[in-house]
Amino acid sequence: MRSSSSSLFNTVTIFLLGFTARNVFENMELSPKLFWNDKTAPYGSDASFPSMSRTSGTKNLSPIHHSAPSNNDEVSYLEWLKVARNQSLSLSADQEPIQIMYRAMSGIGHQLVRLSSAYHFAMLYQIPRVWPTHNPVCHDRDGIFAIYNHLIGEGQLMVDIPFFGRENLFQNPNLFPRPNTTLDYQGQKRVINMINEIPGYGHAPGRIWPIEYLMQGHTSGKQETDYQLYHQLMLLFGHKHKTRIQKVMDITQFNEHIVFGLHVRTGNGEGGDFQNKGRGMNDLGDWLTRFVSLLCDYKGQHSHYFAKKPLMVYVGTDTGSVISKLQTHSNAACKIPFVSSDQTFAKEGGSVTYNQKYDDSNKCLNGWEDMFLDMYLFTRCNSVIAGTYSSFTQSAPLSFMMNKAKQQKQQQLEGNEQFHPHYFCDVGVDGDRIDCATTLIGWLNQTSHMTWGALNGTKQSMKHEITFPRMDQHAEIEKTFVGAGIKGNV
């Protein structure tokens, strides 16, 4: 059986696949093959877990190999993660010769999009873990670790996951395209510090990624690593905050509905970057009225999907009054339930921003928890609808919807029962149309799988927040390694 850990010696030569031109979006099965369906509650248990062992001939310590899980075996995976992350708190230089410390900035969507690049970087260059940290804005005693400790518990994020057996992206080059790389850390522990942006990664050169660039294989398996990261984050958050989550699920009867997640980011008085990019709604009241009408029409025309489970909309927003307005409009029309979690909203016009000042660290941490809770529940939805473009929805929610859609397509090919499609949708500028995608390449290319509403309505002014490797940035990557005292041929 293959070793459960990567072999990092004083000179590490990693023979990997080159950057080949292939369509990783349409032809490659997402790995791991784990997803949440309406009946799966990924909260974990007290199940026993195999002991830790050091594999002979390796330099890093990992949990022993576990057989590949069944599709919904998230309880066992969570137990594996808990042991592995706890072990990651006290690794010696011999066990962890290269360490990535990622320092996040700005809002939760902004930082997760970039954390996904740090995670992909670690996968490419065979670094088995990533430390997620954040600027110490909450002034907690845990400092840069405070926010992520509160959200997902202590420990690093795992990149090398032998739990997945043959579907371990880290160990199997047939599942994951990589560059030919030689690294030499010269027998000492080396720390790669990354702050906000990741060297060698970037946003689209314009507002959206050119499809020609993506189809040439330049994404280098990032869709796969994104899902592995986001799935891990949501599983850990779901376990740590299971009591609060279960309360929301019970009150809303979440599992008894087909749930669409709606993200309405109005800015709530926010200026600066949000205002400069024109990301708000021109007339919020009219937009909400049109959107409810649009959704009522959709529900009526697709009633067969909602015969067993009625439609419900979970709302994530920065403006508390949005929820009550949606409820009022819906009650006067088709009576679709619009629900949200119990959380504290800023006062009307008070602005919501990542650097909001709090008078104590607990309020600060709870504010981050509220945001992450919305994101978590979006990943549990059947489909996600973005009122305006946002890194919040383009991080974990987008990744989860694309994974669910692909799994659903496979199930349909196998002749399973037809359910409502899993969509990631963008609402038009005036709230009178939605454009929905079922593949990442389709969404990036602005090629809708389904459009509903006013076909002559103005589509959302899109900006891709998702990041990909930039093939012209090898010098930046080499500089990053050299800065950490690592020599190599990158």
Side-chain angles (χ1 to χ4, degrees), residues 25-242:
F25 294 110
E26 302 295 346
N27 298 326
M28 181 185 253
E29 277 296 323
L30 288 179
S31 296
K33 289 183 179 177
L34 292 176
F35 62 98
W36 300 341
N37 59 30
D38 291 339
K39 297 180 180 179
T40 305
Y43 299 143
S45 72
D46 295 324
S48 60
F49 184 79
S51 61
M52 307 288 287
S53 69
R54 181 175 179 179
T55 305
S56 176
T58 65
K59 284 287 185 178
N60 62 295
L61 196 65
S62 295
I64 64 173
H65 179 89
H66 192 288
S67 60
S70 62
N71 278 356
N72 292 318
D73 188 14
E74 300 202 328
V75 172
S76 298
Y77 177 38
L78 174 62
E79 293 304 315
W80 184 92
L81 282 173
K82 287 159 62 178
V83 174
R85 297 186 75 229
N86 181 65
Q87 187 68 23
S88 76
L89 294 170
S90 56
L91 296 175
S92 68
D94 183 58
Q95 295 163 342
E96 186 177 49
I98 302 177
Q99 182 182 85
I100 290 180
M101 296 287 292
Y102 174 67
R103 178 79 69 90
M105 299 176 65
S106 302
I108 197 71
H110 175 103
Q111 59 188 269
L112 289 189
V113 164
R114 288 152 181 81
L115 177 59
S116 75
S117 291
Y119 192 89
H120 184 262
F121 182 100
M123 187 75 75
L124 279 182
Y125 297 104
Q126 296 280 273
I127 302 168
R129 306 166 193 85
V130 174
W131 265 113
T133 70
H134 193 284
N135 281 346
V137 294
C138 288
H139 307 292
D140 185 86
R141 64 183 180 181
D142 287 343
I144 62 173
F145 300 100
I147 291 176
Y148 279 96
N149 283 357
H150 180 80
L151 294 176
I152 61 172
E154 291 184 301
Q156 299 189 60
L157 293 169
M158 308 309 295
V159 182
D160 179 11
I161 307 180
F163 181 89
F164 292 138
R166 293 180 180 178
E167 292 186 5
N168 180 4
L169 298 179
F170 193 91
Q171 296 284 358
N172 192 336
N174 293 320
L175 292 175
F176 189 77
R178 300 185 177 104
N180 294 314
T181 306
T182 302
L183 300 179
D184 177 7
Y185 59 87
Q186 304 171 75
Q188 299 182 47
K189 181 158 186 166
R190 303 295 181 180
V191 179
I192 301 174
N193 290 298
M194 297 178 173
I195 300 176
N196 194 28
E197 302 294 349
I198 307 304
Y201 292 75
H203 292 85
R207 292 183 65 87
I208 63 175
W209 283 98
I211 201 64
E212 296 79 14
Y213 179 88
L214 300 173
M215 294 294 287
Q216 289 171 5
H218 293 162
T219 57
S220 306
K222 191 168 183 294
Q223 183 183 11
E224 284 69 38
T225 63
D226 279 4
Y227 179 72
Q228 181 166 297
L229 166 66
Y230 294 138
H231 178 259
Q232 183 175 161
L233 286 170
M234 297 304 136
L235 195 60
L236 292 168
F237 180 85
H239 173 69
K240 192 169 188 299
H241 303 276
K242 58 186 175 184

Side-chain angles (χ1 to χ4, degrees), residues 420-435:
H420 187 278
H422 296 291
Y423 290 136
F424 185 88
C425 306
D426 296 295
V427 185
V429 171
D430 298 315
D432 57 357
R433 67 178 287 167
I434 51 173
D435 297 279

Side-chain angles (χ1 to χ4, degrees), residues 289-308:
T289 301
R290 294 191 193 99
F291 176 77
V292 170
S293 176
L294 181 71
L295 203 59
C296 285
D297 187 38
Y298 179 84
K299 173 192 171 186
Q301 294 295 319
H302 297 84
S303 58
H304 59 287
Y305 284 130
F306 310 113
K308 292 184 178 180

Side-chain angles (χ1 to χ4, degrees), residues 324-370:
S324 60
K325 290 175 181 177
L326 287 167
Q327 291 169 338
T328 298
H329 293 316
S330 180
N331 288 338
C334 60
K335 294 181 171 51
I336 297 172
F338 283 82
V339 302
S340 67
S341 65
D342 182 17
Q343 56 182 269
T344 302
F345 293 99
K347 64 180 181 180
E348 294 293 304
S351 177
V352 176
T353 177
Y354 67 90
N355 58 2
Q356 181 176 344
K357 304 298 187 215
Y358 292 89
D359 54 13
D360 66 61
S361 61
N362 286 334
K363 286 184 179 180
C364 179
L365 293 172
N366 288 338
W368 287 98
E369 182 185 320
D370 286 346

